[in-house]
Amino acid sequence: MTRQGIFLLTLILISATFNSCKVNYSFTGASISPKAKTISVQYFPNYAPLVNSSLSQTFTEKLKDKFLSQTNLNFVDRNGDLQFEGQITDYSNLPTAIQGNQTAAQNRLTITVKVKFTNTVEDKLSFESSFSKYADYPSTLSFASQESSLVTTITDQIVQDIFNKAVVNW
């Protein structure tokens, strides 16, 4: 066999090796099977005792946006290869740091979301889990003035946790 023949054979073997095992990676750390092409995210209703009227819509859209902006998946209304559904189960605003005069120095907003993730391509990666995050703010500030920024911070963190558990697989 000539040098060129050996070189060509080696090149073919290397190419075949790299093409036989394929997983999609991205700069976000997502590792998604190349068989997964679509994602569906159902509306997350708010069943918390204290209701923020825009939280369901805000959370659902943030979850969709996260996957659409950081993966190559296409959005479908139902029955995606990756499917998310769930509900908001807690939205509470409670004092956390009590001072000597029995007043709160800090308050804490907590949001909990129950998520069912179904991976139709790799069923072993499916899960059902609750995700909860909180943010504190000084009691000298009104909740109404802080609520929007707190909700943004907390929902971003929860969405990131869901993304990590579903497709980062660390």
Side-chain angles (χ1 to χ4, degrees):
M1 193 178 265
T2 67
R3 277 187 165 172
Q4 292 152 335
I6 292 173
F7 177 75
L8 186 58
L9 182 61
T10 304
L11 191 60
I12 290 170
L13 288 174
I14 290 172
S15 177
T17 300
F18 285 117
N19 285 333
S20 65
C21 299
K22 187 175 180 185
V23 175
N24 289 342
Y25 289 98
S26 72
F27 291 109
T28 63
S31 173
I32 302 169
S33 168
K35 294 178 184 174
K37 304 288 184 209
T38 60
I39 183 170
S40 58
V41 178
Q42 300 309 303
Y43 183 76
F44 279 70
N46 191 344
Y47 295 127
L50 178 63
V51 174
N52 173 313
S53 62
S54 63
L55 183 58
S56 289
Q57 187 68 33
T58 299
F59 178 79
T60 303
E61 291 305 315
K62 280 188 180 207
L63 188 58
K64 286 179 189 177
D65 291 346
K66 181 71 170 181
F67 280 86
L68 292 175
S69 68
Q70 297 199 5
T71 69
N72 291 330
L73 299 171
N74 294 311
F75 181 76
V76 294
D77 288 335
R78 295 207 171 274
N79 302 320
D81 297 325
L82 306 182
Q83 303 169 13
F84 290 91
E85 58 187 293
Q87 60 194 10
I88 297 162
T89 59
D90 187 41
Y91 184 87
S92 58
N93 181 34
L94 301 169
T96 58
I98 306 298
Q99 298 174 334
N101 61 1
Q102 301 299 311
T103 60
Q106 293 248 322
N107 291 321
R108 174 173 291 169
L109 176 64
T110 303
I111 299 174
T112 304
V113 180
K114 183 178 177 183
V115 176
K116 180 180 179 187
F117 170 65
T118 305
N119 185 326
T120 64
V121 175
E122 295 181 73
D123 189 54
K124 69 180 191 279
L125 298 177
S126 298
F127 63 82
E128 218 172 308
S129 202
S130 286
F131 296 84
S132 187
K133 291 291 182 187
Y134 64 85
D136 294 338
Y137 66 98
S139 62
T140 55
L141 301 173
S142 75
F143 178 62
S145 71
Q146 298 300 300
E147 186 175 17
S148 179
S149 65
L150 293 168
V151 166
T152 297
T153 300
I154 296 168
T155 55
D156 286 346
Q157 292 171 348
I158 292 173
V159 164
Q160 184 64 51
D161 286 352
I162 294 166
F163 181 83
N164 289 345
K165 186 164 184 174
V167 296
V168 174
N169 304 322
W170 288 101

